[in-house]
Amino acid sequence: MKVLVCKNPGQFEYQQMEQPKAEKDHALVKIKRIGICGTDLHAFEGTQPFFSYPRILGHELAGELVDFDNAPGFEKGEAVTFIPYFSCGTCIACRQGKPNCCANIKVFGVHVDGGMAEYVSVPSKYLLHGKGLSFDELALVEPLAIGAHGVRQANVQAGEFVLVVGAGPIGLGTMEFAKIAGAKVIALDVNDMRLDFCKKELGVHATVNALHADVVAQLAEITGRDMPTVVIDATGNLRAINNGINYLAHGGRYVLIGLQKEAFSFNHPEFHKRETTLMSSRNATTVDFEHVIDSMQKGLVNPQTYITHRVAFEEVKDEFASWLDPKKGVIKAMVSLD
């Protein structure tokens, strides 16, 4: 089968590899769609933590179930996706029901080779039924689950103001699920095109461009001077993460979904006087994946609107670098293997 390997930062190479065979407690999936996410882009840039080369990227996946062992209720030929975070089951996080931050986690396409391939073999226990969703929709379940998990971490309540910093795919998903939780969502970004998308496609309560005006003053006006009680960073940008504390209400919660390599820092008095709750949000759990699939089925989320670029698997090597350019207007690139 054909695979696409990221040999080093900035270097892709198509290779031939033996197709995986069915094995005990594993499922064989013929890949149909691959969503390109920030993790993939950062890996290509060489700025992704937890990463080594060479690596087959890809963890936003959908495909056809070809064969399996120990997967009760599944049928050959059905459309599936799967949870791409393989946990050990025995560490303290796993024992506490937090396999998403397992101490020994292996994320598909990050710690182990991923889904930029014609076929993959994954542990059967991570399979998820397609439930009538399209391959496009199923490939978008994972990034939406990241946002859904961040919202759950923040314990977002109906009626409160939630500021989501970063209107990339993860940020957009975070906005969607904050809205589903009943929050009044404010989108903050530096890209007017993406902020327009937030208004028109997601119907957020308000948008703010961080480059065009005093952000604190705008947020104060929008929130009746209270400021957002939840700030969620979905940028993975150091400057944005450091600034986020200044946008938070007293007594508020600050959640970091975005990830970058450097140490972040806050002004201690600004952090302390708010009695800030600071937490990270890593990956997602089965509960989050099921919430996303259920929300898609109910029509509460339309992930198709996120897809701005489509390419065939054979075109990825030549097109990938262009998706890093903000001028290309990429929200979500989707790779097809039909």
Side-chain angles (χ1 to χ4, degrees):
M1 66 174 184
K2 181 183 285 188
V3 301
L4 182 59
V5 181
C6 188
K7 297 190 69 176
N8 292 293
Q11 183 184 7
F12 272 127
E13 181 180 280
Y14 286 104
Q15 296 180 2
Q16 289 294 320
M17 186 177 291
E18 185 176 349
Q19 180 180 316
K21 295 180 172 60
E23 55 181 311
K24 180 177 172 57
D25 295 327
H26 279 64
L28 183 63
V29 179
K30 182 178 183 181
I31 297 299
K32 294 289 190 177
R33 296 289 188 278
I34 307 165
I36 304 300
C37 80
T39 298
D40 302 321
L41 296 170
H42 295 154
F44 183 76
E45 285 182 311
T47 59
Q48 172 62 33
F50 314 133
F51 205 84
S52 61
Y53 303 86
R55 180 67 67 220
I56 299 173
L57 307 180
H59 61 270
E60 298 180 3
L61 304 164
E64 178 185 331
L65 186 57
V66 175
D67 201 357
F68 59 85
D69 175 64
N70 194 19
F74 285 86
E75 298 180 0
K76 292 182 181 180
E78 74 171 285
V80 295
T81 186
F82 58 88
I83 299 171
Y85 325 126
F86 304 157
S87 54
C88 71
T90 59
C91 75
I92 186 168
C94 289
R95 298 198 309 270
Q96 292 180 338
K98 298 180 179 180
N100 56 298
C101 60
C102 166
N104 306 298
I105 200 164
K106 302 295 183 186
V107 177
F108 202 62
V110 178
H111 304 99
V112 296
D113 284 339
M116 287 196 182
E118 294 179 292
Y119 293 86
V120 299
S121 175
V122 298
S124 298
K125 65 182 179 179
Y126 296 109
L127 286 175
L128 295 168
H129 292 286
K131 295 187 177 180
L133 299 178
S134 68
F135 287 127
D136 281 348
E137 291 170 320
L138 290 173
L140 289 166
V141 170
E142 190 273 343
L144 288 169
I146 298 286
H149 184 72
V151 168
R152 190 158 64 90
Q153 278 283 84
N155 192 26
V156 170
Q157 301 297 305
E160 67 179 329
F161 284 101
V162 174
L163 174 67
V164 179
V165 185
I170 298 300
L172 296 175
T174 304
M175 294 174 205
E176 294 256 41
F177 284 92
K179 276 191 63 186
I180 289 171
K184 291 178 281 190
V185 177
I186 306 167
L188 177 67
D189 202 278
V190 297
N191 186 316
D192 281 328
M193 182 202 74
R194 292 199 172 194
L195 291 173
D196 286 342
F197 182 92
C198 294
K199 288 179 191 173
K200 296 174 183 176
E201 300 294 342
L202 305 189
V204 299
H205 181 81
T207 62
V208 178
N209 189 314
L211 299 180
H212 292 175
D214 184 331
V215 174
V216 172
Q218 287 195 77
L219 292 174
E221 182 178 355
I222 292 166
T223 62
R225 308 209 65 78
D226 284 340
M227 302 299 285
T229 48
V230 176
V231 174
I232 303 178
D233 179 84
T235 66
N237 176 277
L238 182 59
R239 183 178 179 184
I241 291 170
N242 288 344
N243 282 338
I245 187 69
N246 299 313
Y247 309 146
L248 184 66
H250 283 234
R253 293 97 74 198
Y254 188 20
V255 180
L256 305 181
I257 297 179
L259 178 65
Q260 49 80 48
K261 282 186 171 182
E262 304 302 323
F264 59 82
S265 62
F266 305 137
N267 176 286
H268 195 176
E270 291 296 324
F271 181 81
H272 187 85
K273 73 183 183 183
R274 289 170 169 81
E275 198 177 57
T276 304
T277 298
L278 173 66
M279 66 188 83
S280 62
S281 178
R282 188 179 187 192
N283 300 324
T285 67
T286 301
V287 169
D288 303 308
F289 277 80
E290 291 175 346
H291 181 34
V292 170
I293 291 172
D294 181 64
S295 298
M296 285 186 180
Q297 287 183 302
K298 292 177 178 176
L300 300 176
V301 178
N302 181 13
Q304 297 276 16
T305 59
Y306 295 8
I307 302 172
T308 53
H309 293 65
R310 291 182 181 274
V311 298
F313 184 51
E314 294 76 15
E315 300 171 321
V316 175
K317 178 182 176 181
D318 293 332
E319 294 290 329
F320 197 94
S322 71
W323 299 333
L324 294 163
D325 183 357
K327 295 177 182 177
K328 296 292 183 180
V330 178
I331 293 177
K332 176 61 65 176
M334 185 66 68
V335 179
S336 297
L337 288 86
D338 287 336

